[in-house]
Amino acid sequence: MGSFFKYALGIFLLSVPALLLSQQRYDYNAEVGFDSPIYRGEIADKYPFPFIGTVYAYSDEFEMGDLEFNGKMYYGLMMNLNSHKGELYVRIGTTKDCIVLKNSLVGDFNIGERRYTALFGERGIKGLAPGYYQVLYEGEDVILKQIDRKIYDYTDFSSGNITKAFALKVKYWLLKDGEVKQIRRERDLQREYKSFKKDIRSYLSLHSEVNMDINLEFIMSMVEGRQ
């Protein structure tokens, strides 16, 4: 935890105090349990209408993860990311109620195997909208995935009924040489890493149907000598 923020600090000159706080590896949640500050936020509102799809980044299932919150580490929390509202939720014990975490206090975290970082306030990066970002790749350069869920009206033409539905919107960002650049497709990396243009083209010719997340991770590992 905290490694992405260290990178961002070095490249984008973010705040030193927040970095120092991220070094505290004390498991505050294990010490004080439900009396800890993480549970003092507001209860997440439930949607007052039926809908199709999910409001979360990947699924409705909460997964265990670790979280940096207000400079302290919390381990073994059940969490999920509401990508419609841009809110990070922590489940309260075995109940279905969830706490909405104050985004300005959130640092790096993981939900299951997926890693994320919060870019709000002094942690923000010029060129990126404030929000939660999945860290797809972290090396000399960084690939971030921005996940959004947009709401729209879905019409069932057989019945004429209109239902709310959530559609996935994704953007990818490359942090390289102190700049932020949007990556719309894997082959955009050929422009950024010209000396590997042939290698990238060769890889994509064999893996064009593979998930974009996997392709971006592999290509970045290749150009940085990790493959």
Side-chain angles (χ1 to χ4, degrees), residues 20 39-40 43 57 61 65 81 94 108 118 128 130 135 145 148-149 180-181 197-198 200 211 226:
L20 296 177
Y39 296 110
R40 296 174 189 168
I43 299 293
E61 296 297 321
L81 181 61
T94 59
D108 294 351
L128 292 177
V135 183
K145 182 179 181 180
D148 194 8
R149 293 280 180 179
V180 175
K181 302 178 182 181
K197 187 174 182 178
K198 290 183 179 179
I200 295 172
N211 178 283
R226 299 187 178 188

Side-chain angles (χ1 to χ4, degrees), residues 75-151:
Y75 299 98
L77 302 172
M78 296 301 292
M79 297 188 292
N80 211 339
L81 181 61
N82 184 324
S83 292
H84 170 239
K85 294 183 177 180
E87 296 176 340
L88 180 60
Y89 295 163
V90 170
R91 178 167 286 167
I92 305 173
T94 59
T95 71
K96 292 185 177 181
D97 289 329
C98 304
I99 295 294
V100 181
L101 298 182
K102 187 174 181 180
N103 55 37
S104 62
L105 299 181
V106 177
D108 294 351
F109 60 97
N110 70 282
I111 300 176
E113 296 298 319
R114 298 185 177 97
R115 298 170 53 224
Y116 299 86
T117 193
L119 300 180
F120 297 94
E122 63 182 14
R123 288 177 56 92
I125 293 177
K126 184 178 180 181
L128 292 177
Y132 293 107
Y133 290 79
Q134 184 179 348
V135 183
L136 277 188
Y137 178 85
E138 180 185 2
E140 292 184 17
D141 300 329
V142 172
I143 294 282
L144 298 180
K145 182 179 181 180
Q146 182 181 10
I147 304 171
D148 194 8
R149 293 280 180 179
K150 298 293 187 183
I151 192 169

Side-chain angles (χ1 to χ4, degrees), residues 167-180:
L168 178 65
K169 302 291 183 182
V170 173
K171 293 181 180 179
Y172 296 89
W173 303 94
L174 172 66
L175 279 59
K176 180 177 182 288
D177 299 329
E179 297 182 1
V180 175

Side-chain angles (χ1 to χ4, degrees), residues 137 203 213-223 227:
Y137 178 85
Y203 170 80
D213 290 14
I214 295 174
N215 281 341
L216 290 176
E217 290 181 69
F218 186 92
I219 291 171
M220 292 301 298
S221 295
M222 179 173 62
V223 301
Q227 290 292 340

Side-chain angles (χ1 to χ4, degrees), residues 1-26 68-73 104-108 117-118 120-124 138:
M1 303 293 290
S3 59
F4 171 78
F5 187 34
K6 294 175 188 176
Y7 168 88
L9 180 76
I11 300 299
F12 294 92
L13 302 179
L14 300 184
S15 68
V16 171
L19 175 63
L20 296 177
L21 287 173
S22 72
Q23 302 305 305
Q24 300 179 29
R25 303 297 295 180
Y26 173 65
E68 177 190 343
F69 184 76
N70 197 22
K72 296 181 174 64
M73 289 304 304
S104 62
L105 299 181
V106 177
D108 294 351
T117 193
F120 297 94
E122 63 182 14
R123 288 177 56 92
E138 180 185 2

